[in-house]
Amino acid sequence: MQQSGDSGSPSFNPLAVLEFMSDTKEEAIAWLLSRIRAPQEAGGAGLLVEQLGPGVSAEQKDNLNLFLVGASWERLLSGAEDVGLFKEYSDGSMRGFTCVNKHNFKDFQGDGDGFLSMAECQYIIKHELETLRAKDETHVPGYSHAKLYPGKSIIRRLLSKGILIQMFPLHHKEELKRLSFSWYKKIKLSLQPLDKIRHYYGEGQALYFGFLEYFTFALVPMALLGVPYYMFDWEDYDKYVAFAVFNVVWCTIILELWKRSSATLAYHWGTLCRKKAFEEPRPGFHGVLGYNPVTDREEPLYPNAKRQLRIYLVSLPFVLLCLYLSLYVMMIYFQMEGWALSVHDQDPSFWTGVLLYIPSIIYAVVIEAMNLVYRYAAEFLTEWENHRLESSYQNHLVLKVLVFNFFNCFASLFYIAFVMQDMVLLSQSLATLLITSQILNQFMEAFLPYWLQRRRNKKMIRKVQKRRTPGDKELPLAEQVRLEADMSTYLGTFDDYLELFLLFGYVSLFSCVYPLAAVLVVLNNVTEVYSDAFKMCHVFKRPFADPAANIGVWQLAFETMSVIAVVTNCALIGMSPQVKAYFPESETQLILWTVAIEHGLLAFKFILTFLIPDVPKHIQIKLARLEFESLEALKKKRQINAGKCWKARSSGRASSEERRTCRL
Amino acid sequence: MQQSGDSGSPSFNPLAVLEFMSDTKEEAIAWLLSRIRAPQEAGGAGLLVEQLGPGVSAEQKDNLNLFLVGASWERLLSGAEDVGLFKEYSDGSMRGFTCVNKHNFKDFQGDGDGFLSMAECQYIIKHELETLRAKDETHVPGYSHAKLYPGKSIIRRLLSKGILIQMFPLHHKEELKRLSFSWYKKIKLSLQPLDKIRHYYGEGQALYFGFLEYFTFALVPMALLGVPYYMFDWEDYDKYVAFAVFNVVWCTIILELWKRSSATLAYHWGTLCRKKAFEEPRPGFHGVLGYNPVTDREEPLYPNAKRQLRIYLVSLPFVLLCLYLSLYVMMIYFQMEGWALSVHDQDPSFWTGVLLYIPSIIYAVVIEAMNLVYRYAAEFLTEWENHRLESSYQNHLVLKVLVFNFFNCFASLFYIAFVMQDMVLLSQSLATLLITSQILNQFMEAFLPYWLQRRRNKKMIRKVQKRRTPGDKELPLAEQVRLEADMSTYLGTFDDYLELFLLFGYVSLFSCVYPLAAVLVVLNNVTEVYSDAFKMCHVFKRPFADPAANIGVWQLAFETMSVIAVVTNCALIGMSPQVKAYFPESETQLILWTVAIEHGLLAFKFILTFLIPDVPKHIQIKLARLEFESLEALKKKRQINAGKCWKARSSGRASSEERRTCRL
């Protein structure tokens, strides 16, 4: 944290940036700044704010309403207590940080400088800004339509009214350089620096990269097993079945073991036992004024029945319509495929050979485009459903997007597998889809944004160089902040997880038809690590840390996929000619056996899920120990109180405090 | 609580009884009594104990080492805080009881007499006795082999060494009379007095009776629907399928709705939010001395690997052997059945007609006998596995017993349904098994013990009447206590739930073959309520209250059963001749459709489970409110502290306490 702004006092460390509309009224800004600066006892946030200078390359169109937010160390420490940060205690356990006990925490030295990571400081700043509540103001000064109610978050209101454009944390050039060096700059065979990633980006990001790494390693045995199947064309009955059974069991086990790894990571990062803060309504939530039954505060209420109506009468039909459309596109693809085949058959040449691949590639591109368009529609609809909580919004969005993406990506494969029953075409399509979507994804999510960002960067550097001595490539703070403010916003790990989810689908659903899928996915994941790391560091604005304890709804999504995988794999095995040859006289017997085995595998899967504990033993012991200690402390406190009362009662003399506690 | 002992001071209310071995050494008893009587501040339990007088009918063989335990009101209130009792607050919410706040609780009047129910008082006494811990004693005085370690529960050690025979709560004649009158004495159409049952027996018992009642009402629609099916012999394809689909969906819905009802009950009884106390090792647990990694206390440790070995190398093979045996018995039954049929066919007469029913009845009796014997074996094995916690012991016992009972009761039905494919025999066997096991159960669990108990009671009354004036039928306290000490111990709700579980199996697994099953189960449940209530009040010792928040592992067991029911019902429908007629040319098509519908139903079931929230909205709001308030209180406290520190720091003067809190 040596980075010191060239604007402001030397002790001021800028941590986050507030960007207002360029024509925001002076009085609104002055009022907000005074509220942010006011000490907590006076109902303020107790933070430091300074306006960003115009910078060397000041232009007419530059927004001058950029403010840097920071805080004193004492304020950050008390903020750490407010957000309920867990830190390592001197005895090695993780405990909720309290200012009273601060000297007993492991890395707390001197006055605590360096105790909190920059990501944690920024998270604290964000929390303190968001919980800055209106007092008796009825509206934002200068904006009579931006109404305020006592106890409501001011920043959320400003954001939803568009007065505040954005709030984002600053990058730290030095740290970022060090992180990116150990992360992806040197090509080497080593694990990702998860602790460093967590230190810089927070737990949510680090868990994503942890999962990506874990998932890649977990696929290696499958990939290794798949190679000889592909190379030697093993198609015997027993090997075939063995591979599918291995895959199905393996999927279950890796998902269970991931829960354990994730619990271990989250424990050491202090998010496993951390209590969720009370969830505020989303910024966009609107409704008729009323009283919240939980908090008794005045806030907009929106009847749940109305939301359910919107979900079931509008969103659900829309999703179904989209699914139908996706099916329709698929049928067109099969017609094109058939047409290309007939052209090739009539007059085979090099160009008709190429033509054979065209429909698949077009279809893969169309799928990606449809996913993208649908994504916007789903966001719009979910916004319109007007969910009160961010978590509920996220769940509904994820559900909508997942169902459609699953359908869109896998419908054609299901059709080929179970309606056309053409295993050769299935493995071809699988390969084409997998490879095309991988290339498209990597291009869309990393190289394209990077190229755009690079152009912007160069322009800015050129501008600065015009005014400064050439060779000084480091940008001054004002320019750096403006550059970051213009970067695209990172929208969370949603798309990254979605991509992994679909890849997992390709591997697990049809693994026994195309054993090379795992190899392709492993290769993809290795490059994915690099492109994701790169995009986090250079393409997007730094995101605020997200204190996640697990991968949330994605664990459920992956588990659902692995259940579907059992069904499809069993069906594929039952349909294979090798297996059919074992039941020459009776197809009924074959199907009954397949169904029985499938049910057995599903039962085994569920039993396995129960048998493997979600949290490793040593973490369980540590958690139990903490709980035991707090119970003991409570008991001791009660006994001391009881002892005091007993003495007071028997001696007949009692202080005023004793009188109060003992109700004498 | 007007019952006052004829021994002891007038203010002493006997609540529980401790029974020692008749030849226990004086010094051990004296030591224990002094520890129980010592105030809490001195490390004692702070309870009142008195020896029970010899009674009017004193005989040589009577055990004189019976002690009555009671407590003062203040002690009970502080005990209520210790066990974390939740009570209704003046604002209608449920809060953890604290002595400091006692006057703010709703029913707390005057000095609090009547605030706690007798069952709660007894639970507190039990808890306080069990948490009476050894200090520096190395062994129980007079018993050098009964070693003690600092911090270990004394009572558990005495129980496991057999010095203390039992500890049980006393009945309250007046209350019991009132309860039994409103419960089962008058035959009327009304709900069970769940609150009164909870008041007298505690939450675990009340939840069982609540579940029994709920389950009965939930089956009524099925029963009503089943009657016309049976009477008019509806065997059309569509009606058949409709009935099975209704059953399957209905099973899922009633189990989900039960979770909600149970949450509502548990909330109002204060067990929903109650924190589990730290679990002590079971009394029978043994091992090598070591340090518990959680509590750092010295206690016996038993390596988990050794326990796993015992489970997988001994218990599992044993269970499998028993299952095989059960299958063997089943095959003998089918041979007998075939032999009876051939005898009847050769020379049909009235007696051979009766003979036809004999094998089924014998088999039903053998099944019950095998269940009983297996139960003892399972208890022995689970004890031998040496589980550290009671909950882990219970889970392993329930699993063993459930698997065997399920297999034992339903194997023959599965065999008839899916191997013999004889639907007529299936519905006959189902009816025979259901009716026989119901009659046997009611007889074994209520009438037989009652008859035995009645004989004992009469003997005691006759003895007393010999010495007292005739006509005085009320027993004096000493005789009453001795009588209760001799009653059988109620072993918990295990057997009652197991019975309901098997009945649920009969109804759900093969409901579409024998639509009358639900009617029989409803009739059985109505009598079951009476016999269970009767046995609780008159056959068994009063049990200690068990503060349960739900029906625990049984919810899972019932849900598993309902999943299996989906599979069997779909298979039965697929096998029915009416459905087969719809697919005359292709059996494959039929099976594929059946499997597809089955998978659809299973998926629908799981989605339903997710969609229906486990806790009703109004309870959720109350819980959220409580959490919100505690968060707000914490924040306020921190802010007050911060304010104090700020003032102290800015004024330069600080009291010693301020210095401590603020680390100035």
Side-chain angles (χ1 to χ4, degrees), chain A residues 54 110 229 268 304 344 376 393 412 426 494 498 521 545 553 598 604 615 621 635 658:
Chain A
Y229 272 87
H268 289 297
N304 198 30
H344 180 70
Y376 285 106
Y393 170 85
S412 65
L426 178 61
F494 187 102
L498 183 62
V521 171
V553 66
E598 184 229 344
F604 180 66
V615 177
I621 288 178
K635 209 154 71 187
E658 278 168 357

Side-chain angles (χ1 to χ4, degrees), chain A residues 41 81-82 100 103 293-297 587-588 591 595 598-599 624-625 628 632 638 643 646 661 663, chain B residues 41 81-82 100 278 293-297 587-588 591 595 598-599 624-625 628 632 638 643 646 661 663:
Chain A
E41 298 80 39
E81 191 174 340
D82 284 348
V100 179
H103 291 283
V294 174
T295 61
D296 261 342
R297 285 185 190 148
E587 204 176 8
T588 314
I591 298 180
V595 172
E598 184 229 344
H599 280 73
R625 204 186 160 100
F628 174 74
E632 286 294 291
R638 266 209 301 273
W646 185 62
T661 326
R663 294 240 165 208
Chain B
E41 298 80 38
E81 191 174 341
D82 285 347
V100 179
F278 197 79
V294 174
T295 60
D296 261 341
R297 287 186 191 145
E587 204 176 9
T588 314
I591 298 179
V595 173
E598 184 228 345
H599 280 72
R625 204 186 160 101
F628 174 75
E632 286 294 290
R638 266 210 302 274
W646 186 62
T661 327
R663 294 243 165 203

Side-chain angles (χ1 to χ4, degrees), chain A residues 131-337:
Chain A
T131 52
L132 178 62
R133 295 178 191 288
K135 289 192 293 191
D136 41 9
E137 301 96 336
T138 54
H139 58 85
V140 177
Y143 294 89
S144 54
H145 66 282
K147 293 216 174 65
L148 290 170
Y149 315 105
K152 294 311 300 172
S153 164
I154 294 173
I155 295 286
R156 276 166 185 256
R157 175 45 54 113
L158 291 175
L159 276 171
S160 69
K161 286 288 167 192
I163 302 170
L164 187 63
I165 298 174
Q166 60 176 345
M167 169 168 79
F168 65 91
L170 277 175
H171 266 301
H172 187 286
K173 281 281 148 195
E174 283 298 308
E175 262 190 63
L176 187 61
K177 227 175 242 169
R178 260 176 285 147
L179 173 66
S180 57
F181 187 75
S182 69
W183 199 0
Y184 65 92
K185 281 261 170 88
K186 41 176 184 179
I187 291 171
K188 55 173 199 328
L189 223 69
S190 74
L191 300 177
Q192 289 178 78
L194 290 185
D195 283 324
K196 282 184 192 155
I197 300 172
R198 178 236 165 188
H199 197 262
Y200 195 80
Y201 285 111
E203 292 78 18
Q205 278 302 317
L207 270 178
Y208 164 69
F209 283 100
F211 181 68
L212 177 56
E213 180 179 286
Y214 175 86
F215 180 52
T216 312
F217 278 109
L219 285 181
V220 167
M222 261 193 211
L224 289 181
L225 212 65
V227 170
Y229 272 87
Y230 186 77
M231 282 172 49
F232 305 128
D233 248 348
W234 283 351
E235 291 202 339
D236 310 320
Y237 163 65
D238 42 353
K239 287 192 187 110
Y240 207 38
V241 172
F243 187 61
V245 169
F246 170 78
N247 272 4
V248 162
V249 174
W250 187 239
C251 283
T252 310
I253 291 178
I254 60 172
L255 287 177
E256 280 306 301
L257 291 185
W258 164 250
K259 268 193 237 163
R260 293 165 65 90
S261 315
S262 132
T264 311
L265 287 176
Y267 176 78
H268 289 297
W269 294 341
T271 50
L272 191 64
C273 350
R274 187 156 163 191
K275 261 197 158 177
K276 279 255 161 122
F278 197 80
E279 223 179 332
E280 300 275 329
R282 316 181 52 225
F285 176 68
H286 55 86
V288 185
L289 261 197
Y291 287 91
N292 181 325
V294 174
T295 61
D296 261 342
R297 285 185 190 148
E298 204 174 18
E299 67 169 38
L301 296 180
Y302 189 76
N304 198 30
K306 231 167 157 181
R307 185 178 306 124
Q308 298 289 339
L309 278 183
R310 287 187 173 189
I311 293 175
Y312 289 108
L313 294 188
V314 181
S315 297
L316 188 65
F318 175 79
V319 172
L320 292 177
L321 188 78
C322 288
L323 294 183
Y324 175 77
L325 222 108
S326 152
L327 269 189
Y328 195 78
V329 169
M330 184 188 84
M331 296 317 291
I332 294 177
Y333 156 65
F334 283 116
Q335 282 179 4
M336 273 168 58
E337 184 88 36

